[in-house]
């Protein structure tokens, strides 16, 4: 009885933690996207600055990484004698790690700047709906890089998300994020940048999964956080180079003085935006560790119906009929993708249960044979 009650407590605790992290992801992703929109609406113009705040808060992850390293170092000392057998196994070189981090960092930085340009030229609700295409891109890249099967439900999801994004090109002309009037050309630029930004981030997730499997060969919290911190560092470096090379750094003081909500609000908008992105990252990492990267990606996609509704409330954005249809198709695509993940989980549990039963039967048969002899 005591074991059963302990087991139930552990299950409830696990699901409470999963639920908490899922809420954290949705709240912080929505807040970060809306704060990015607020920055543009109130006078911010620098796409490099709006990209930088997505990455620059990564130092707050260092304390968690150091604590985790201490725990793992203790475990390594306790099991040192068990590792002598595997002492000949070669670990990846420093140059291998460096090239991986630089590649992921440049990919992340590129995705951030594309999304920042997309948010500049599109209403936040439209931007969010186009970003839902990330799920479809993730399935395609996983097919080529990680040999993921394209099932009927995943194919259905890709088609629905593609149609959902394409529909937004034909919607009535909306007011953009800034006060200046934007023609269809700017909307098209925003659409293309957001689409490529979503594709880049999907490629980042698929490439990271492959790197963990083939290069690092383990998926501990310490390893995941190391990748996030170092890729954020190199992405920050790339964006800072872009900020200074473009000359936008010269406008920061003027931009702060002309910000409609005041200088303090300008700084606080950027600070809270950076903090929201990093808390979102922590929640995402926790879900990856407790469930899977695919599950974390699906939870992120839940923001698709949430952000347009919040944009309607806070920014009075118009919800056209085309947007409503696009949202319905995106939710349908998300449900189709999520249902396939559910089927995969059920299949995996069934196979594990069957393997366990076969192992138990094999042990019993072995024992009977020994007795017979």
């Amino acid at each position: 009885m005591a074991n059963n009650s302990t087991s139930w407590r552990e299950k409830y605790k696990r699901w409470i933690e999963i639920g908490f992290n899922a809420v954290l992801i949705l709240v912080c992703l929505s807040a970060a996207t809306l704060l990015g929109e607020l920055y543009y609406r109130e006078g911010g113009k620098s796409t490099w600055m709006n990209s930088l705040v997505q990455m620059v808060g990564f130092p707050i992850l260092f304390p968690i990484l150091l604590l985790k390293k201490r725990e793992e170092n203790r475990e390594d000392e306790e099991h040192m004698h068990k590792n002598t057998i595997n002492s000949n196994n070669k670990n990846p070189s420093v140059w291998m790690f460096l090239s991986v981090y630089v590649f992921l960092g440049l990919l992340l930085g590129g995705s951030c700047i594309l999304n920042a340009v997309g948010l500049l030229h599109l209403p936040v609700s439209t931007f969010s709906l186009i970003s839902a295409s990330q799920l479809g891109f993730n399935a395609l890249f996983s097919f080529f890089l990680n040999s993921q099967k394209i099932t009927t439900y995943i194919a259905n999801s890709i088609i629905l998300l593609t149609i959902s994004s394409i529909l937004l090109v034909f919607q009535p002309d909306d007011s953009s994020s800034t006060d200046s009037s934007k023609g269809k050309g700017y909307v098209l630029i925003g659409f293309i940048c957001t689409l490529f930004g979503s594709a880049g981030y999907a490629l980042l997730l698929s490439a990271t999964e492959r790197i963990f499997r083939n290069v690092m060969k383990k998926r501990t919290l310490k390893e995941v956080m190391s990748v996030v911190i170092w890729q954020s560092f190199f992405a920050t470096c790339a964006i800072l180079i872009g900020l200074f090379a473009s000359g936008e750094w010269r406008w920061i003081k003027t931009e702060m003085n002309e910000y409609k909500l005041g200088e303090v609000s300008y700084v606080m908008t950027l600070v809270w935006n950076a903090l929201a992105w990093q808390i979102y990252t922590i929640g995402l990492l926790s879900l990856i560790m407790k469930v899977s990267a695919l599950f974390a990606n699906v939870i992120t996609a839940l923001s698709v119906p949430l952000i347009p509704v919040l944009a309607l409330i806070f920014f009075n954005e118009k919800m056209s009929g085309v947007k409503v249809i696009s949202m319905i198709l995106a939710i349908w695509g998300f449900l189709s993708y999520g249902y396939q993940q559910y089927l995969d989980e059920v299949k995996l549990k069934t196979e594990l249960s069957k393997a366990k039963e076969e192992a138990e039967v094999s042990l019993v048969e072995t024992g009977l044979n020994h007795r017979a002899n």
Side-chain angles (χ1 to χ4, degrees), residues 210-225:
R210 185 176 178 85
I211 286 163
F212 270 116
R213 191 172 64 242
N214 293 351
V215 179
M216 297 183 176
K217 298 181 180 176
K218 52 183 178 177
R219 203 171 190 161
T220 62
L221 181 60
K222 188 193 81 172
E223 296 297 327
V224 173
M225 291 198 73

Side-chain angles (χ1 to χ4, degrees), residues 19 24-25 34 64-65 88 124 198 210 228 232 242 289:
L24 205 64
I25 284 172
L34 292 175
I64 303 171
L65 179 62
N88 293 326
V124 67
S198 299
R210 185 176 178 85
V228 170
S232 298
M289 293 307 302

